[in-house]
Amino acid sequence: MSVNRAISSDDPQAIEKLTAKLEECQKQQEHMKSVNAYYRKFGTMRGFPDLSDEQADKLDAKARNGYSWDKGPFPSYALTNNSAEIRRLKQRLELLKQSRETGYVGWTFEGGKAVANIENNRLHLLFDEKPDAEKRTVLKQNGFHWAPSEQAWQRQLNDNAIYAAGRIDFVRPENGESPSRLQPKPKQRDEQER
């Protein structure tokens, strides 16, 4: 049985969990670099701080028996992959923080309203009457699903949900404006750093 360790954007502690994961990856990156540097300098891992002789011998064997072009206990692809994960986590954290700072707003449309449920991280479409089969098909095609517990058509609250709602004619705001234009704009990087 596998355990899902993915961190969902819906999680109220997603930022904290992603930050912890990022710190762990950065710590691991520094460790791998220092181990490889020590091995290049001395040709063995014996004497490396916090490593027993048995662990050092295992890393030495791993380095000797690895690919001929990898001259260290940790192959170059391990460092590259971890570095890519660090960049990915930083980007995801930035987007999540930006999304939480900006917030989203709902709107009314003919026959219902759209509600930005920040707490559940969902865009809810609430209709006065049950949409006909054709409208339900359009909602499904745009990623909205019926949630009986909420009595609403919903999807995860993000920019894509707002854009998808903008493509659906019957949920456009009453003033005819695009739902995207109603949303608060995120602060520009210059403004955030001042």
Side-chain angles (χ1 to χ4, degrees):
M1 183 169 135
S2 66
V3 177
N4 183 359
R5 290 188 174 88
I7 300 170
S8 173
S9 299
D10 298 13
D11 189 339
Q13 286 136 3
I15 291 176
E16 293 82 11
K17 288 179 180 179
L18 286 171
T19 302
K21 186 173 181 178
L22 174 62
E23 289 170 358
E24 182 62 33
C25 285
Q26 289 171 329
K27 183 178 164 186
Q28 184 179 6
Q29 187 79 359
E30 290 306 313
H31 175 72
M32 288 190 293
K33 287 164 85 174
S34 64
V35 165
N36 281 354
Y38 188 90
Y39 186 82
R40 278 192 307 274
K41 185 174 183 178
F42 298 106
T44 182
M45 288 308 298
R46 283 188 176 248
F48 186 80
D50 300 328
L51 268 186
S52 68
D53 286 344
E54 184 180 310
Q55 291 171 321
D57 290 340
K58 283 183 183 179
L59 286 174
D60 286 344
K62 183 177 176 183
R64 280 192 302 275
N65 298 330
Y67 293 111
S68 61
W69 58 85
D70 274 325
K71 302 295 183 203
F74 292 102
S76 58
Y77 66 82
L79 289 147
T80 303
N81 289 349
N82 195 52
S83 180
E85 178 69 359
I86 289 169
R87 282 192 308 278
R88 186 190 71 80
L89 287 170
K90 284 180 179 177
Q91 289 173 345
R92 185 158 176 226
L93 265 169
E94 187 177 322
L95 286 173
L96 200 56
K97 286 177 182 175
Q98 184 180 23
S99 171
R100 297 233 172 125
E101 288 172 5
T102 304
Y104 292 97
V105 296
W107 63 90
T108 58
F109 55 86
E110 189 177 327
K113 64 182 177 179
V115 177
N117 187 335
I118 307 294
E119 187 177 301
N120 292 339
N121 196 30
R122 296 286 183 264
L123 176 62
H124 290 197
L125 299 179
L126 305 164
F127 293 92
D128 297 336
E129 297 176 4
K130 181 179 178 179
D132 60 34
E134 185 178 321
K135 287 181 180 178
R136 290 193 307 266
T137 301
V138 170
L139 288 167
K140 290 175 187 176
Q141 288 171 342
N142 284 283
F144 289 92
H145 301 281
W146 175 248
S149 60
E150 302 290 335
Q151 293 295 300
W153 287 86
Q154 69 177 13
R155 76 177 269 174
Q156 185 174 1
L157 181 60
N158 55 27
D159 290 340
N160 290 337
I162 302 298
Y163 296 135
R167 289 191 303 265
I168 304 172
D169 291 333
F170 57 89
V171 297
R172 280 189 163 271
E174 289 176 333
N175 63 7
E177 199 171 8
S178 167
S180 301
R181 291 185 178 238
L182 298 175
Q183 305 309 311
K185 301 295 179 228
K187 293 180 184 175
Q188 297 300 319
R189 285 185 188 254
D190 310 358
E191 295 173 19
Q192 289 175 350
E193 293 173 2
R194 289 184 194 170

